[in-house]
Amino acid sequence: RLKEQGYKKPVLWLSPLGGWTKDDDVPLDTRMAQHHAIIKNGVFGDTEVVLAIFPSPMLYAGPREVQWHAKARLNGGATHYIVGRDPAGMKHPGTNEDIYHMWHGQRMLEMVPELASGLKLLPFKFASYDKTASKMAFFDPARKDDFVSISGSKMRKMAREGTDPPQGFMDLEGWSILKKFYASKQEL
């Protein structure tokens, strides 16, 4: 999309967290192997990709953590920033309901002048599996019956059960790495 806006050679900076995460999260070595696979297999087309570990723990601190992540990337030289849906969110221990609204982190960034002026926030659009095109695409409400939502939780459940996602959902090598990780956990 940046090329469409006139940027001649944008660079995608992937910076997965390298610090502590919850015990049930996918570990860094597995996530890095997936990143290497999708870069090698051309998932990002001809866009140059820099992969660098962000050595921070995941604090699951909701919107405040979103601000910390954005500020760290800004200090690292980022000019544009994508905030996902429900980043750094967590469930209430008593009710198991989300503590924060799924767009809360994005809204908080928009309200912080220092970050909003230094970073161009790129809106996150809800991606779903397009059954008609057999690939991931941005959800189109006019064709809602053509889409299937495969959340991160559902994706991890499929990998744990050894189920393959629909063709075109994910890079095959990246999926294989995730499936092998969950299979190795079941062997223990």
Side-chain angles (χ1 to χ4, degrees), residues 1-7 10-13 66 69-71 73-75 77-84 105-106 109-125:
R1 297 242 165 124
L2 292 177
K3 290 178 184 177
E4 295 167 7
Q5 297 175 20
Y7 291 88
V11 175
L12 176 61
W13 175 15
V66 171
H69 288 210
K71 178 68 173 171
R73 276 30 176 243
L74 176 65
N75 289 344
T79 58
H80 293 69
Y81 190 68
I82 300 170
V83 183
Q106 197 172 77
L109 283 182
E110 292 166 351
M111 295 173 16
V112 178
E114 178 186 350
L115 294 174
S117 65
L119 281 175
K120 169 100 170 110
L121 299 178
L122 300 176
F124 177 83
K125 296 185 178 180

Side-chain angles (χ1 to χ4, degrees), residues 14-86:
L14 295 177
S15 52
L17 288 179
W20 177 88
T21 58
K22 293 186 302 185
D23 291 340
D24 64 343
D25 279 345
V26 176
L28 179 62
D29 61 337
T30 302
R31 288 183 282 127
M32 289 299 289
Q34 285 185 293
H35 286 311
H36 283 292
I38 64 175
I39 292 167
K40 177 186 79 177
N41 295 333
V43 168
F44 302 109
D46 64 351
T47 300
E48 188 173 338
V49 179
V50 172
L51 178 60
I53 296 170
F54 179 47
S56 173
M58 177 57 115
L59 303 172
Y60 303 94
R64 294 287 277 169
E65 184 158 4
V66 171
Q67 291 176 356
W68 153 241
H69 288 210
K71 178 68 173 171
R73 276 30 176 243
L74 176 65
N75 289 344
T79 58
H80 293 69
Y81 190 68
I82 300 170
V83 183
R85 181 186 62 80
D86 191 27

Side-chain angles (χ1 to χ4, degrees), residues 16 18 33 45 52 62 68 75 79 85 95-96 98 116 123-124 131 137 150 160 164 174 176:
W68 153 241
N75 289 344
T79 58
R85 181 186 62 80
T95 64
N96 203 34
D98 290 329
F124 177 83
K131 296 182 290 186
I150 302 176
R160 270 194 306 274
D164 286 328
S176 173

